[in-house]
Amino acid sequence: MRYLLKAQYIPDSKFKDDAFSVAGRTYSYESLADVELISKPTDEERGEIRLKLTNGTINWVVFTKADEADGMAVYEGLKERVNPDAVVMDAGKDAFAETIYNYSVMHGLGSDISRTWGIRHFLTALRGMLPYEKVLLPFMAQYNYEPDMMSDGEIAFIATDKRVIMAQKRMAGIFFQAVNWEGIDNIFAMPSMMAGIIEIENADRPVYIKIEKNTAQRITEYLNHIKELVGNNDTKAIDELAAKYMA
């Protein structure tokens, strides 16, 4: 099986006879415990294949409508290569941090952070979460206090059913901040020539998030959707969002 899948803002996925690579990491087929076709591509949305790995993490393969034939061939090929004797490790916070990093990268939700630091940032966010708090949207972007000032660098964001978390593991110490949904007045993408700026208006101080322009619009739509679900206490839809990151 030899395929190369490409999509804008997403790292290439490579499938060879002896191994496959997604989200910047190479795996043997012995580590493949399960494969599920989540969706086929449309003109608006990418197709999505979810992979369950023996280290307790989940990864994704995404492909465009133009690559549908190759994407479906990859899915059929991966199904044949699932290891029937695979034993999946219990996924602790470290494995879950890797899972949501994989999701962010493979869905074009920020990929400028190195794999090592991206997982560290998400792990910092997870360690600050409350018991039973649910991950609904992970992404990575630059955190700015003001749109035209120097950024505080790339950090991890997690939208949960309680709040929007911002976290960064630093050489010395950590950065952790959160804004509760009930304190958020508005979320919108600001026009910019060079990049996309997302503003989260809240009672204390606006939060500015800098990322690629098209991605900024997508994340803004996702965040507003989650805000609506939380405001309506739509527990069924919230649970369905959270389930995509669970094995």
Side-chain angles (χ1 to χ4, degrees), residues 17-242:
D17 294 334
D18 57 343
F20 63 97
S21 300
V22 289
R25 187 170 180 180
T26 300
Y27 302 91
S28 70
Y29 289 108
E30 289 184 353
S31 68
L32 187 58
D34 193 25
V35 176
E36 180 180 2
L37 178 66
I38 302 300
S39 61
K40 292 184 177 181
T42 66
D43 292 335
E44 293 79 27
E45 299 290 337
R46 300 183 182 99
E48 182 177 324
I49 303 168
R50 191 171 77 161
L51 315 178
K52 185 176 180 181
L53 305 169
T54 53
N55 65 358
T57 66
I58 296 173
N59 216 321
W60 285 263
V61 176
V62 298
F63 53 101
T64 63
K65 183 71 172 176
D67 290 327
E68 182 172 9
D70 283 350
M72 294 305 297
V74 165
Y75 169 62
E76 295 297 334
L78 289 175
K79 280 202 308 182
E80 294 177 358
R81 288 167 169 80
V82 169
N83 180 3
D85 300 319
V87 176
V88 180
M89 296 169 53
D90 290 335
K93 278 190 169 63
D94 289 63
F96 193 49
E98 185 174 344
T99 289
I100 58 178
Y101 170 85
N102 292 339
Y103 185 89
S104 300
V105 171
M106 295 309 296
H107 288 78
L109 300 174
S111 57
D112 292 336
I113 306 177
S114 72
R115 182 180 187 85
T116 297
W117 281 102
I119 293 172
R120 288 174 180 173
H121 297 336
F122 277 122
L123 184 57
T124 300
L126 292 174
R127 286 173 172 165
M129 285 177 56
L130 303 169
Y132 308 112
E133 194 170 5
K134 298 170 183 176
V135 173
L136 303 183
L137 176 70
F139 62 97
M140 297 175 285
Q142 291 186 31
Y143 175 77
N144 288 43
Y145 282 106
E146 301 292 343
D148 297 323
M149 293 178 64
M150 183 68 70
S151 166
D152 284 346
E154 300 276 355
I155 71 172
F157 294 80
I158 298 180
T160 77
D161 57 327
K162 308 294 183 186
R163 52 194 175 157
V164 179
I165 294 172
M166 297 151 270
Q168 183 186 56
K169 179 71 173 76
R170 296 174 173 171
M171 295 298 291
I174 65 169
F175 165 79
F176 186 95
Q177 182 176 320
V179 182
N180 293 337
W181 285 112
E182 57 265 28
I184 295 176
D185 298 320
N186 196 11
I187 305 170
F188 58 92
M190 301 168 59
S192 172
M193 292 294 292
M194 301 301 294
I197 304 291
I198 303 169
E199 180 176 348
I200 300 178
E201 290 184 338
N202 63 86
D204 297 326
R205 186 176 189 175
V207 173
Y208 296 102
I209 302 167
K210 183 179 180 182
I211 199 168
E212 188 277 329
K213 282 200 291 188
N214 292 335
T215 306
Q217 188 60 49
R218 289 169 55 214
I219 291 174
T220 299
E221 293 171 2
Y222 294 156
L223 290 175
N224 277 307
H225 177 59
I226 293 170
K227 184 175 185 294
E228 181 180 2
L229 295 181
V230 172
N232 293 334
N233 195 29
D234 191 339
T235 55
K236 180 180 179 181
I238 288 171
D239 288 345
E240 287 175 353
L241 272 182

